[in-house]
Amino acid sequence: MAHTKITPQISGVGVLNPNMRVFDIIMKTEYGTSYNAYLVRGCEKTALIDTVHKDYIDYLFANIKEVAPDVTIDYLIMNHNEPDHSGGIAELLDYYPNMKILSSKTGSVFLKDIINRDDYVIETVSDGDTLDLGGTTLRFVHAPFLHWADSMFTYVEQDKVLFSCDFLGAHYCEPQGYDHTVVYQKEFEHAFLGYYEAIFSPFQKHVRNGLDQMKKLDVEIVAPSHGPILTKGCFLEKAVSRYESWSTPVVREERVIPIFYCSAYGNTERVANHIAQGIQQVIPDAAIQKYNVIEHDVAKLAKIMNESDAFLLGSPTINRDALPPMHILLAHAEAIGMAKRPVSVFGSYGWSGEACKHLRNRLSDLKTNVYPDDFRVHFIPSEQDLKQAVCHGQAFAQWMLK
Ligand code: FEO
């Protein structure tokens, strides 16, 4: 976003990053991204909504200067303090030493250790507070867990513009910055969905709260912190409707209990098959799919795991540990949504058999509800072992139904 005019008082002054392909180390961004920041000018005061990644701060300054060469930033409104938005604060404070920073109370706790300036006091705003810039009024709307605990929206009453931070955003980069200027619509909508899934899907209840907050306001423009600005009559209504649909809990008729495993010589796989039989005997209508993790895309498996009612993990032991694909799968677990999820671990081993222990430890750290007894088999499962694997499946199913 190279200084996009939104209204006479509001300009986008953020920065485009079309070449980004991975965000925060793990999130693929095949369409690049933008770090959106907005200048809001009243008759008396000027506010900047959010900053940009620290590597792009010079471009932010250049855009501010181009829009308003002699402007002084009186207020920096930090809707959310993840470093892609808070990275430029130190330089801004150096340049505008009298600038006041406003954030939610939680945001102020984060900012204290982002700014690291003992003599600087961050001002906090409560839900519903307003700030008059002189004919232009900012209203602050707390939006916790959209997607951090500190998140809030800022609304400009006169212009009906909502600065929603990450909410309704997308890692998508085109030069003009608006929904109605998007050239590659299909790709934008793909990015919009991917962003929701990666950032907001663990926070469905909060997404619905955020949409409710929006409905109380007369919003004609949503200016997010990434991707195109959304406007009424173009993509805004579709965006809201999609968030409503995506955040509505899915009511399933059947319990989904996937089993994920690795198997070097087929032993752990045979155990998986027999555990599945045991579960099915207790819960006949359960959907029990088995996945050899090396045969599937990890992102797809992670989605199945994260949306399951319960799941099991099986791994042989190599080098005193579970195999790396199992740890990689668990690295994709959505920790918040996974709390108390019934889980169990199993595996065949040759020497010491630590795989189950390590999977169990990770699952415990994720605060899942780990079945007390792991199911381990030494080398090749005998007929007796396989009968016991069925019993393990039965016992797990009975335990999770309690
Ligand atoms: Fe775009 Fe949550 O930072």
Side-chain angles (χ1 to χ4, degrees):
M1 178 180 295
H3 63 86
T4 305
K5 184 175 176 183
I6 300 172
T7 71
Q9 285 74 37
I10 302 173
S11 299
V13 289
V15 178
L16 301 176
N17 185 358
N19 297 321
M20 169 175 274
R21 289 295 174 267
V22 180
F23 183 85
D24 273 1
I25 304 171
I26 56 168
M27 186 177 173
K28 284 184 187 165
T29 50
E30 58 191 301
Y31 311 112
T33 195
S34 61
Y35 306 109
N36 300 349
Y38 301 93
L39 201 64
V40 184
R41 286 172 289 172
C43 299
E44 295 158 16
K45 302 285 185 185
T46 297
L48 179 68
I49 315 269
D50 295 328
T51 81
V52 298
H53 189 293
K54 68 179 171 51
D55 292 350
Y56 298 86
I57 186 66
D58 290 344
Y59 298 102
L60 175 66
F61 276 121
N63 287 340
I64 293 171
K65 293 281 175 209
E66 206 159 328
V67 167
D70 302 319
V71 79
T72 292
I73 309 287
D74 301 293
Y75 301 101
L76 171 61
I77 313 299
M78 290 305 303
N79 277 338
H80 159 50
N81 294 286
E82 199 166 0
D84 53 325
H85 308 299
S86 61
I89 295 179
E91 285 85 350
L92 277 163
L93 269 179
D94 288 342
Y95 200 81
Y96 304 109
N98 296 319
M99 180 180 79
K100 292 181 177 176
I101 302 179
L102 278 60
S103 79
S104 65
K105 191 170 179 195
T106 307
S108 72
V109 176
F110 298 167
L111 279 168
K112 180 175 174 296
D113 293 326
I114 290 171
I115 296 172
N116 288 318
R117 299 188 189 199
D118 292 340
D119 57 339
Y120 190 85
V121 178
I122 294 143
E123 297 189 17
T124 62
V125 290
S126 300
D127 186 49
D129 281 358
T130 58
L131 175 68
D132 184 7
L133 302 175
T136 299
T137 308
L138 306 183
R139 191 194 303 174
F140 305 106
V141 180
H142 281 198
F145 296 103
L146 293 176
H147 64 117
W148 272 19
D150 64 338
S151 298
M152 65 176 193
F153 303 152
T154 299
Y155 177 63
V156 178
E157 297 179 346
Q158 289 80 4
D159 296 286
K160 301 178 181 174
V161 175
L162 183 75
F163 299 98
S164 61
C165 201
D166 290 331
F167 197 63
L168 298 167
H171 283 314
Y172 185 79
C173 185
E174 280 197 34
Q176 302 304 319
Y178 271 103
D179 51 3
H180 54 76
T181 62
V182 164
V183 174
Y184 300 99
Q185 188 67 26
K186 192 170 141 217
E187 287 77 3
F188 164 56
E189 294 188 27
H190 182 240
F192 187 77
L193 169 62
Y195 192 82
Y196 177 88
E197 286 184 337
I199 305 293
F200 288 106
S201 63
F203 302 99
Q204 290 191 356
K205 184 180 81 175
H206 301 283
V207 168
R208 296 195 296 278
N209 288 342
L211 294 172
D212 287 344
Q213 293 279 37
M214 272 184 71
K215 282 180 190 153
K216 294 179 197 162
L217 307 169
D218 185 5
V219 178
E220 295 198 345
I221 297 174
V222 164
S225 59
H226 302 286
I229 294 164
L230 309 179
T231 56
K232 207 168 172 180
C234 189
F235 194 71
L236 177 55
E237 291 91 336
K238 287 183 195 145
V240 168
S241 155
R242 287 179 197 183
Y243 266 42
E244 280 172 345
S245 164
W246 295 335
S247 66
T248 301
V250 177
V251 180
R252 289 195 295 238
E253 302 273 315
E254 58 193 15
R255 285 184 176 79
V256 176
I257 309 173
I259 300 177
F260 306 100
Y261 65 90
C262 283
S263 192
Y265 294 99
N267 297 323
T268 298
E269 183 172 52
R270 291 180 71 205
V271 172
N273 292 339
H274 285 76
I275 288 176
Q277 286 175 26
I279 298 170
Q280 201 84 71
Q281 287 166 7
V282 175
I283 314 176
D285 58 354
I288 306 168
Q289 294 290 333
K290 291 162 287 185
Y291 301 95
N292 184 338
V293 294
I294 63 167
E295 294 174 354
H296 301 272
D297 176 68
V298 70
K300 284 189 182 151
L301 293 184
K303 190 166 188 305
I304 293 165
M305 175 178 70
N306 288 325
E307 293 176 355
S308 68
D309 295 294
F311 64 90
L312 296 92
L313 299 177
S315 176
T317 296
I318 293 182
N319 203 22
R320 293 186 174 165
D321 202 349
L323 269 70
M326 304 308 297
H327 287 299
I328 291 168
L329 176 61
L330 278 179
H332 289 71
E334 288 172 354
I336 289 174
M338 196 158 282
K340 299 191 174 136
R341 184 92 44 98
V343 296
S344 177
V345 296
F346 62 93
S348 159
Y349 65 99
W351 289 9
S352 44
E354 291 92 340
C356 286
K357 179 180 80 173
H358 291 295
L359 292 175
R360 157 181 289 278
N361 287 346
R362 176 66 184 138
L363 288 164
S364 297
D365 288 343
L366 288 166
K367 302 196 186 312
T368 60
N369 192 11
V370 190
Y371 184 67
D373 301 318
D374 307 341
F375 188 80
R376 301 193 314 151
V377 171
H378 195 213
F379 283 105
I380 299 172
S382 64
E383 286 308 309
Q384 184 60 23
D385 290 329
L386 294 175
K387 281 183 191 160
Q388 285 178 353
V390 174
C391 292
H392 180 82
Q394 291 170 338
F396 172 74
Q398 283 157 353
W399 170 80
M400 68 168 275
L401 290 177
K402 280 183 187 164

